[in-house]
Amino acid sequence: VINYQENKYDSLYKDGQEIQLTAIVISNKQQKEYYNRYKIQIPSKEILYINVDKNKKIEYGDKIQIKGEFQESQTARNYKGFDYKKYLKTLKIYGTVKVSSIEILDKNCANKLLQISNSIFLKIKTNIEKTYNKNISTIILGVMLGYTEQIDENIKQDFSTSNISHVLAVSGMHISYIIFLITNSTQKILGKRKSKIIASIVLLIYMFITGFSISVVRACIMGILSCMAFVVYRKSDTLNNISIAVLITLINNPYSVISVGFLLTYGGTLGILYFKPIVEKMIKNIKIRNRRWKYVFIKIQRKSEKIIEIIAVSLSAQIFIGPVMILNFNSIGIGFLLTNLLLSLIIGIIVMGGFIQIIVSFFSIKAGIILAKLIEIPTYGLLLISKIDIGNFLVFTPNLYHIIF
């Protein structure tokens, strides 16, 4: 499969080739410094980037005819350098066309379901921008939709150094809060089984709206399978669920397996699945010899089950995530224990409150503004947590052998 895909990537067009083609726009505008970027799908279903003059206005679903120069993506120039061509393969992008002329032939020609999903996404995005403070709206877009293009680079760096950047990518944590909110708000009226069916439908819609990123697909598929297992009176098997999610992800794009996002989301989940019980048991079995402190420690243990669980989850995920971070970003940190513990106190409020606010804003912007003001309070707390920068170390780029052994 990989060889077949490799041949397609290499033989579609040649670098510098002048091309003329008809395509459909399948993304919203990405604003760059000197041009706007869009994704297009050509008749043979391959996806390309196009760089278009800022004065030219095109929209999702437009059928266009373009002329331009095909630009093949750059491979890594230095040892362990960033391979842009390989990165684009993980996004199913075959290359970039520098457009010299463009003509709009028709409107609303994209897949109807995807076009409706995009319209809903744009409506949610507009409502969030209308109801939240400008600085906070970009964070809410990241937390609720995984949309980070408008977040300031310094803020992104803060989230990264404080080891909470996962909060800006829709993950299992987000999905678990959404399932909790839906099932608890509907099960008294509809019953537990029907509430799980509704949760599954909402997650399916959520995947479409957020654009099928790897972390969203993994979390939503596992959430849906868990809900449906309850509906058909079966015990949910987490390992089976994650295996099905991996299979679907790789069928869609085999190159996902080399994506950092793939390694982080699935690696973190496997770490929690396999090591959380072991780490939790180790923490609970810590022995204190001093009698006075032993009594205090046991008392704290009994009253801190939730804290121990959060620490165990963070450490377990880090067993898999740590090597990926070292190999790809030359950094490792131990501050994640503190930041993730603090994050657990407010993220549920932000996700569940943000979900309710999105729904309310569809019916009343004024009511949405009131809810937004309440949600802004813990979101400012999130920004404060992102400023915590402790225990981060830069390391040399190791060989894979060193990481494994």
Side-chain angles (χ1 to χ4, degrees):
V1 175
I2 291 290
N3 286 336
Y4 171 73
Q5 290 286 344
E6 199 72 38
N7 289 333
K8 281 185 69 177
Y9 277 101
D10 291 337
S11 62
L12 184 63
Y13 298 113
K14 299 299 181 184
D15 188 39
Q17 180 181 343
E18 290 292 328
I19 59 174
Q20 179 177 339
L21 52 83
T22 302
I24 295 172
V25 179
I26 57 168
S27 78
N28 297 307
K29 175 175 63 180
Q30 287 182 306
Q31 291 189 7
K32 303 296 181 179
E33 188 173 359
Y34 301 110
Y35 57 85
N36 292 329
R37 172 171 285 175
Y38 299 84
K39 284 183 189 177
I40 60 168
Q41 188 174 53
I42 62 179
S44 54
K45 302 303 181 183
E46 287 83 11
I47 299 172
L48 301 168
Y49 275 142
I50 56 170
N51 296 337
V52 182
D53 187 272
K54 282 183 173 288
N55 295 322
K56 189 65 179 178
K57 306 299 180 185
I58 57 177
E59 297 178 345
Y60 191 105
D62 285 356
K63 186 176 183 179
I64 58 174
Q65 187 174 58
I66 62 170
K67 292 181 181 178
E69 179 187 333
F70 180 78
Q71 298 175 332
E72 190 174 350
S73 307
Q74 298 260 333
T75 56
R77 293 182 176 181
N78 302 313
Y79 175 70
K80 298 287 185 178
F82 180 64
D83 192 325
Y84 187 57
K85 186 174 183 178
K86 186 184 289 185
Y87 167 71
L88 288 188
K89 287 178 182 178
T90 68
L91 303 177
K92 298 180 76 173
I93 306 293
Y94 281 72
T96 304
V97 180
K98 185 179 180 182
V99 174
S100 56
S101 69
I102 183 168
E103 180 185 355
I104 299 173
L105 303 177
D106 202 357
K107 293 280 188 180
N108 302 320
C109 295
N111 178 285
K112 296 300 178 186
L113 191 56
L114 293 177
Q115 201 152 313
I116 291 169
S117 302
N118 185 67
S119 298
I120 295 171
F121 168 81
L122 291 176
K123 178 64 175 176
I124 293 171
K125 180 175 176 289
T126 300
N127 286 347
I128 287 174
E129 289 170 344
K130 284 181 180 178
T131 52
Y132 287 90
N133 174 288
K134 185 178 180 181
N135 294 329
I136 295 297
S137 66
T138 58
I139 304 299
I140 295 296
L141 284 169
V143 172
M144 298 306 303
L145 300 175
Y147 181 79
T148 59
E149 290 181 19
Q150 294 179 355
I151 299 177
D152 184 87
E153 289 300 322
N154 292 327
I155 293 177
K156 285 184 184 179
Q157 186 60 39
D158 288 342
F159 274 79
S160 178
T161 53
S162 60
N163 297 284
I164 59 168
S165 54
H166 59 277
V167 81
L168 299 177
V170 177
S171 63
M173 176 179 62
H174 298 69
I175 299 306
S176 62
Y177 282 122
I178 290 172
I179 293 173
F180 176 83
L181 176 64
I182 294 168
T183 53
N184 280 273
S185 59
T186 59
Q187 66 182 9
K188 288 185 179 179
I189 302 170
L190 302 174
K192 289 184 178 180
R193 291 180 70 205
K194 288 182 179 177
S195 70
K196 294 290 185 181
I197 293 172
I198 291 172
S200 298
I201 294 170
V202 170
L203 293 184
L204 190 61
I205 294 169
Y206 194 57
M207 271 198 292
F208 275 89
I209 293 172
T210 52
F212 295 98
S213 70
I214 291 174
S215 62
V216 170
V217 170
R218 194 273 307 164
C220 286
I221 288 175
M222 291 184 69
I224 290 169
L225 291 173
S226 179
C227 289
M228 296 312 295
F230 182 89
V231 171
V232 298
Y233 301 106
R234 295 291 182 91
K235 184 179 180 181
S236 178
D237 188 309
T238 307
L239 188 58
N240 282 346
N241 294 348
I242 196 171
S243 299
I244 292 169
V246 168
L247 182 63
I248 292 171
T249 301
L250 294 182
I251 287 173
N252 177 58
N253 182 12
Y255 283 102
S256 294
V257 75
I258 60 174
S259 163
V260 175
F262 180 93
L263 297 174
L264 290 175
T265 189
Y266 283 104
T269 305
L270 285 172
I272 293 168
L273 177 62
Y274 282 109
F275 293 108
K276 177 179 172 284
I278 299 170
V279 175
E280 204 166 1
K281 188 176 180 180
M282 288 173 63
I283 294 172
K284 290 180 179 179
N285 287 338
I286 293 174
K287 304 295 182 183
I288 305 294
R289 292 186 177 183
N290 184 287
R291 289 186 178 182
R292 180 182 174 186
W293 288 110
K294 180 180 179 179
Y295 174 76
V296 172
F297 185 72
I298 291 172
K299 203 168 182 178
I300 291 171
Q301 274 187 328
R302 288 173 181 171
K303 293 184 177 181
S304 307
E305 288 290 327
K306 188 64 179 176
I307 294 174
I308 291 172
E309 183 183 354
I310 293 166
I311 293 172
V313 166
S314 298
L315 286 171
S316 303
Q318 202 68 22
I319 291 172
F320 275 76
I321 290 173
V324 176
M325 296 297 291
I326 293 171
L327 196 60
N328 290 279
F329 304 108
N330 300 100
S331 68
I332 189 169
I334 57 174
F336 65 88
L337 285 174
L338 174 61
T339 52
N340 280 278
L341 191 61
L342 294 173
L343 179 66
S344 67
L345 301 175
I346 59 173
I347 191 60
I349 300 170
I350 297 172
V351 172
M352 291 189 287
F355 193 80
I356 293 169
Q357 194 273 344
I358 285 171
I359 295 171
V360 169
S361 295
F362 270 98
F363 302 99
S364 171
I365 289 294
K366 289 184 179 179
I369 291 172
I370 293 170
L371 283 174
K373 294 301 178 187
L374 297 175
I375 298 165
E376 282 178 2
I377 298 169
T379 309
Y380 279 115
L382 182 62
L383 287 172
L384 288 174
I385 294 170
S386 73
K387 297 294 183 183
I388 299 174
D389 181 10
I390 55 173
N392 289 304
F393 307 97
L394 293 176
V395 295
F396 69 92
T397 304
N399 292 319
L400 188 60
Y401 174 85
H402 292 144
I403 288 181
I404 295 173
F405 298 101

